[in-house]
Amino acid sequence: MYSFAALGSLQFVGIAITGILLTAFLLFLILREQKTIKAIDGTAFASEEACRTYEILLDKMSKLYAASEKNSVRETFGLKPEFLQLLKNEGFSEVKTLIKYRKEFEQLTNLFNQEID
């Protein structure tokens, strides 16, 4: 403690400047603008591949939610219209209902996990 008090004014200035420079450098590293790629809906991604995968999945899910004809949904995704109605509006409040539509959940999971070309 006594050795710190023995520092001269020039040494105090050196320590202060070093502290300011280190603080500025750390803030630069933390706050610098990173390259981000934005998807169609504004979601930001670090890579183009992740963005492209998200946009393809977003397109599929948008078609799923926008489908107005029961047959077109069934043909495109293989999901029952009743399942989609529960998924979009009502939810699954009973265990029996979840078990009843377990194959549709598997198909929906497969749709999420499909490889993107």
Side-chain angles (χ1 to χ4, degrees):
M1 179 109 181
Y2 292 111
S3 63
F4 186 73
L7 294 176
S9 61
L10 188 59
Q11 291 171 328
F12 279 123
V13 171
I15 291 171
I17 290 174
T18 303
I20 290 170
L21 290 175
L22 284 175
T23 303
F25 179 70
L26 286 174
L27 286 174
F28 171 75
L29 289 177
I30 293 171
L31 300 175
R32 70 180 170 185
E33 187 72 26
Q34 295 182 355
K35 180 182 174 188
T36 57
I37 298 149
K38 292 201 176 202
I40 296 168
D41 66 347
T43 306
F45 293 92
S47 70
E48 287 185 34
E49 181 181 342
C51 181
R52 187 173 62 91
T53 303
Y54 175 79
E55 286 179 342
I56 291 170
L57 184 60
L58 180 67
D59 183 51
K60 287 180 184 179
M61 292 299 119
S62 295
K63 287 178 185 174
L64 180 74
Y65 271 78
S68 58
E69 298 178 16
K70 293 180 180 182
N71 292 336
S72 67
V73 173
R74 186 175 213 150
E75 291 171 5
T76 306
F77 300 104
L79 301 172
K80 293 179 181 177
E82 301 86 25
F83 172 75
L84 292 175
Q85 185 68 25
L86 288 170
L87 186 66
K88 292 192 287 187
N89 299 326
E90 300 167 26
F92 299 90
S93 60
E94 297 178 356
V95 175
K96 287 175 122 179
T97 310
L98 283 172
I99 294 170
K100 178 181 177 183
Y101 292 108
R102 70 179 177 266
K103 289 183 182 180
E104 282 75 17
F105 275 112
E106 289 175 8
Q107 290 173 333
L108 188 61
T109 303
N110 291 336
L111 184 64
F112 276 113
N113 294 330
Q114 276 181 345
E115 290 295 319
I116 308 299
D117 296 333

